């Protein structure tokens, strides 16, 4: 009898929680688990229908048919007067295009602002074009499958409200011949762009040309990228070969780390293409607004010509306030007077990276 009273007390405590708090709790679990809470009591029976977060994963179901039936139940049973703030989709198996499109159309018709899509079916697929035509979407993350099986996107994106875009293992097409235009030209409010391990289909280099972009990250790639971003403040390049920085006049933070496996010519491409005018394109060589620079290069060579390239790179950072170099750079650079010039009036530091 005592245990039954204790259970009733705990149930009353749950029922006494406000809707906002319950919604917050349910936003931390999958939609499947949120729907399952409807059996707790009459108070909880319809709570899930008014939450503004959807988290759907095909891995929560033994068959795609059951997953499809559950999605139908959720979308038809949900309170249509409530907007959808965030949607997280995870597909471990290939789903029908119709089901995929239905989820996206529902999200966009309810003014979704944040969308995360992870697609891991083991086969190349193309996202529905409707995914890239939303007036409300502000934050988008796309994650594809293993290398060789990429998410393929259409050549044009219509996301005027988009602020943050993260792409991982996605195939991107850039058919523009005008370097002033790029795939993201129609994303007028884009501020933060991350491209990681993506395959870029562009015959003359991939163009990132955007007037309002402030933060840009390239990681684990090899395609030459032409960057024209007058408002760019933060640039991160990790394990990327073939970078070509065109214009970033107010850049304040630069973080570069060379690929673990890299050919010597690829390293020189970084020096020539990112910070030095190589005569092929007009580059932003006067980086007068730099405040913080971190450079980590493990693949160094002892010849004078190559050492000279490193010195030239460091000389272009004369206005930086904080410079962090890994120990390999310090060892190969025998021009210690250059280092002393930094320490005289700048916050210069070196550490093992």
């Amino acid at each position: 009898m005592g245990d039954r009273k204790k259970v009733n007390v705990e149930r009353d405590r749950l029922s006494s929680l406000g809707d906002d708090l319950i919604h917050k709790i349910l936003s931390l679990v999958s939609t499947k688990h949120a729907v399952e809470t409807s059996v707790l009591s009459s108070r909880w029976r319809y709570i899930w229908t008014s939450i503004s977060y959807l988290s759907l994963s095909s891995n929560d179901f033994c068959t795609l048919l059951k997953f499809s039936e559950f999605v139908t139940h959720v979308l038809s049973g949900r309170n249509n007067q409530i907007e959808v703030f965030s949607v997280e989709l995870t597909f471990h198996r290939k789903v029908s295009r119709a089901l995929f499109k239905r989820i996206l159309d529902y999200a966009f018709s309810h003014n979704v602002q944040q969308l995360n899509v992870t697609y891991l079916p083991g086969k190349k697929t193309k996202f529905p074009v409707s995914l890239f035509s939303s007036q409300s979407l502000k934050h988008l993350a796309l994650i594809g499958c293993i290398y060789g099986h990429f998410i393929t996107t259409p050549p044009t994106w219509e996301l005027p409200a988009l602020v943050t875009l993260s792409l991982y293992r996605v195939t991107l097409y850039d058919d523009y011949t005008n370097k002033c235009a790029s795939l993201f030209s129609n994303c007028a409010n884009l501020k933060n762009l991350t491209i990681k391990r993506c395959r870029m289909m562009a015959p003359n280099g991939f163009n990132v040309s955007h007037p309002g972009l402030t933060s840009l990250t390239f990681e684990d790639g090899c395609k030459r990228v032409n960057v024209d971003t007058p408002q760019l403040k933060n640039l991160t390049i990790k394990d990327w070969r073939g970078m070509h920085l065109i214009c970033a006049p107010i850049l304040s933070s630069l973080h570069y780390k060379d690929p673990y496996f890299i050919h010597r010519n690829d390293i020189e491409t970084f020096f020539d293409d990112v910070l030095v005018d190589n005569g092929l394109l007009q580059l932003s060589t006067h980086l007068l607004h730099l405040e913080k620079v971190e450079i980590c290069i493990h693949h160094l060579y002892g010849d004078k010509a190559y050492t000279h390239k490193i010195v030239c790179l460091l000389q272009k950072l004369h206005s930086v306030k904080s410079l962090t170099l890994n120990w390999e750079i310090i060892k190969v650079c025998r021009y210690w007077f250059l280092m002393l010039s930094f320490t005289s009036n700048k916050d210069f530091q070196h550490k093992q990276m």
Side-chain angles (χ1 to χ4, degrees):
M1 181 66 68
D3 290 341
R4 181 176 298 177
K5 288 183 177 180
K6 183 177 180 180
V7 170
N8 289 334
V9 170
E10 294 296 334
R11 185 173 298 170
D12 289 340
R13 288 180 179 177
L14 289 174
S15 299
S16 65
L17 295 176
D19 286 357
D20 290 344
L21 182 55
I22 294 177
H23 290 162
K24 182 64 176 178
I25 295 172
L26 295 183
S27 71
L28 303 176
V29 301
S30 69
T31 300
K32 179 177 182 293
H33 291 152
V35 172
E36 290 173 345
T37 63
S38 61
V39 302
L40 293 177
S41 69
S42 58
R43 167 77 172 84
W44 284 67
R45 185 175 181 181
Y46 298 107
I47 286 290
W48 69 269
T49 65
S50 58
I51 59 177
S52 58
Y53 300 83
L54 293 178
S55 178
L56 302 169
S57 173
S58 64
N59 210 35
D60 291 337
F61 300 86
C62 57
T63 66
L64 287 177
L65 177 60
K66 290 186 178 297
F67 174 63
S68 179
E69 291 174 346
F70 177 76
V71 170
T72 300
H73 172 67
V74 169
L75 300 187
S76 60
R78 190 177 176 277
N79 184 348
N80 281 320
Q81 302 302 314
I82 305 297
E83 292 189 347
V84 178
F85 175 78
S86 174
V87 174
E88 184 168 349
L89 304 176
T90 304
F91 303 111
H92 292 268
R93 287 162 285 183
K94 189 173 182 179
V95 298
S96 69
R97 183 183 179 89
L99 177 62
F100 197 2
K101 187 176 185 302
R102 182 183 180 189
I103 299 173
L104 297 177
D105 287 346
Y106 183 90
F108 293 140
S109 67
H110 287 75
N111 299 316
V112 64
Q113 295 186 35
Q114 181 172 328
L115 175 63
N116 298 331
V117 180
T118 301
Y119 198 89
L120 307 170
K123 292 184 178 181
K124 182 172 64 175
T125 186
K126 181 177 290 187
F127 275 147
V129 175
S130 61
L131 174 61
F132 306 99
S133 182
S134 168
Q135 300 298 311
S136 63
L137 192 62
K138 294 182 178 180
H139 308 282
L140 173 63
L142 300 180
I143 301 175
C145 194
I146 60 174
Y147 191 86
H149 299 291
F150 288 78
I151 294 170
T152 302
T153 61
T156 57
W157 299 35
E158 297 291 340
L159 299 169
L162 194 67
V163 176
T164 302
L165 176 61
S166 299
L167 304 172
Y168 180 56
R169 287 176 175 155
V170 174
T171 298
L172 301 173
Y173 289 89
D174 185 0
D175 296 328
Y176 291 103
T177 57
N178 182 3
K179 292 184 175 63
C180 294
S182 73
L183 180 66
F184 312 109
S185 296
N186 293 330
C187 304
N189 289 292
L190 187 63
K191 300 296 182 184
N192 307 294
L193 174 61
T194 298
I195 298 177
K196 181 178 180 181
R197 195 172 288 189
C198 289
R199 180 164 49 189
M200 296 177 169
M201 310 302 290
N204 300 316
F206 192 81
N207 297 311
V208 177
S209 176
H210 197 284
L213 195 67
T214 60
S215 180
L216 179 60
T217 297
F218 292 103
E219 188 171 346
D220 197 4
C222 60
K223 188 72 175 181
R224 177 184 292 271
V225 179
N226 306 312
V227 179
D228 188 355
T229 51
Q231 298 300 316
L232 191 68
K233 294 183 178 180
N234 302 300
L235 175 61
T236 299
I237 306 168
K238 292 183 178 181
D239 303 320
W240 193 283
R241 293 168 289 170
M243 180 57 58
H244 202 146
L245 179 60
I246 300 175
C247 182
I250 65 171
L251 192 69
S252 61
S253 175
L254 171 64
H255 182 195
Y256 174 78
K257 178 181 178 296
D258 68 337
Y260 186 77
F261 296 104
I262 186 170
H263 189 271
R264 172 178 171 177
N265 290 335
D266 292 327
I267 304 177
E268 294 177 347
T269 297
F270 167 71
F271 294 137
D272 289 341
D273 290 352
V274 178
L275 295 171
V276 181
D277 188 353
N278 61 7
L280 298 177
L281 291 173
Q282 185 64 42
L283 306 181
S284 177
T285 57
H286 302 291
L287 303 177
L288 303 179
H289 298 272
L290 276 175
E291 296 184 1
K292 182 178 180 180
V293 174
E294 295 183 7
I295 300 178
C296 181
I297 301 176
H298 291 109
H299 300 79
L300 298 174
Y301 302 87
D303 62 279
K304 293 181 179 180
Y306 190 75
T307 300
H308 180 67
K309 285 184 176 290
I310 299 175
V311 174
C312 290
L313 170 64
L314 296 177
Q315 286 177 330
K316 290 187 176 295
L317 306 178
H318 59 82
S319 63
V320 68
K321 295 180 180 179
S322 176
L323 176 64
T324 302
L325 306 175
N326 64 310
W327 185 242
E328 283 80 358
I329 295 179
I330 304 297
K331 288 189 296 185
V332 76
C333 183
R334 293 181 170 85
Y335 299 92
W336 291 104
F337 69 89
L338 179 62
M339 303 304 167
L340 294 175
S341 68
F342 279 101
T343 59
S344 62
N345 55 6
K346 302 294 182 183
D347 174 21
F348 174 79
Q349 58 178 319
H350 67 271
K351 64 181 180 180
Q352 184 73 29
M353 296 177 65

